[in-house]
Every structure is written in C-alpha cells, then in structure tokens.
Amino acid sequence: VQLQASGGGSVQAGGSLRVSCTTSGRTPSSYVMGWFRQAPGKEREFVARIVWNGDLTYYQDSVKGRFTISRDKNTVYLQMNSLEPEDTAVYYCASGRSASRYAYAYEYWGQGTLVTVSS
C-alpha cells in the first residue's frame, strides 16, 4: 500500500484548503485512514480518521466543526475551513488496522504536505 498526499499550500487565517491522499495497492476495506500533522518543533498529532468501508469519523477536539474528512474510491480528503495560524504544519495521511489516535497504530504513511496559515 502506498499513500500520496497532495494539496497543501499557503492561505490566510480564515481561509480554506483541501488536502488529498491517494492510495495505491490493495487497501483492505476494514482499514482506517487517518490524517496527522506535525508543526515545527512539536510532536506529530492526530487530526482525524475515517473507516475505509464506512463513514464513521472521529476528530481531534481542536478541529471539530472546521475540518471534514471524507473518502471517494481510492482517495481520502481533509477539507479544512476557518484555518488558524495554529493549523500550520506538515499534514500526513496514514492507513492502519486500528481506529486509533496514535501514530504507532498506523502501518502506512504518505510523505506529507505542508499547510501554512498566515495571520
């Protein structure tokens, strides 16, 4: 399984961006797709996840109501609205068997895409 993240960029506070993660190879339908992010000097943190064969989603508290995770065929999206400077980070997509908020539970990782939010 290979993951390819794309769609990052620069935006002003209050703006929107959508990042995408395209999967190749056979992804088991029971797998979970997650988004994580890592800001400079900080640890990688969980953002959102979705079960591949359903629509069950889960979000970190700080992004609830602003971010939406969704999937379509072999692509997972993270729509980010009302962006804040604190959302600036490299965003990574990941895939794994467990519906977890911990990075170690995910087996496959994309290369990351940078999102920069200016004030």
Side-chain angles (χ1 to χ4, degrees), residues 3-116:
L3 308 179
Q4 180 73 38
S6 62
S10 298
V11 66
Q12 289 190 328
S16 299
L17 277 176
R18 187 177 77 166
V19 291
S20 304
C21 179
T22 301
T23 66
S24 60
R26 188 171 181 176
T27 304
S29 60
S30 59
Y31 266 43
V32 176
M33 296 297 298
W35 283 99
F36 289 76
R37 66 187 181 186
Q38 188 165 17
K42 295 187 177 181
E43 294 187 353
R44 192 169 299 189
E45 65 173 0
F46 169 81
V47 176
R49 68 173 186 251
I50 187 168
V51 178
W52 192 250
N53 64 351
D55 295 322
L56 193 61
T57 59
Y58 185 80
Y59 298 90
Q60 181 202 108
D61 286 346
S62 69
V63 307
K64 283 182 182 177
R66 300 189 298 122
F67 290 13
T68 303
I69 188 171
S70 63
R71 58 161 182 75
D72 180 34
K73 296 181 181 179
N74 65 333
T75 301
V76 176
Y77 304 97
L78 185 68
Q79 176 67 44
M80 304 180 288
N81 299 327
S82 301
L83 282 161
E84 304 167 352
E86 293 74 22
D87 296 315
T88 295
V90 176
Y91 283 72
Y92 297 90
C93 58
S95 176
R97 305 180 187 186
S98 301
S100 173
R101 61 187 297 120
Y102 298 105
Y104 64 73
Y106 290 79
E107 301 172 50
Y108 306 102
W109 290 83
Q111 84 287 6
T113 183
L114 177 63
V115 172
T116 303

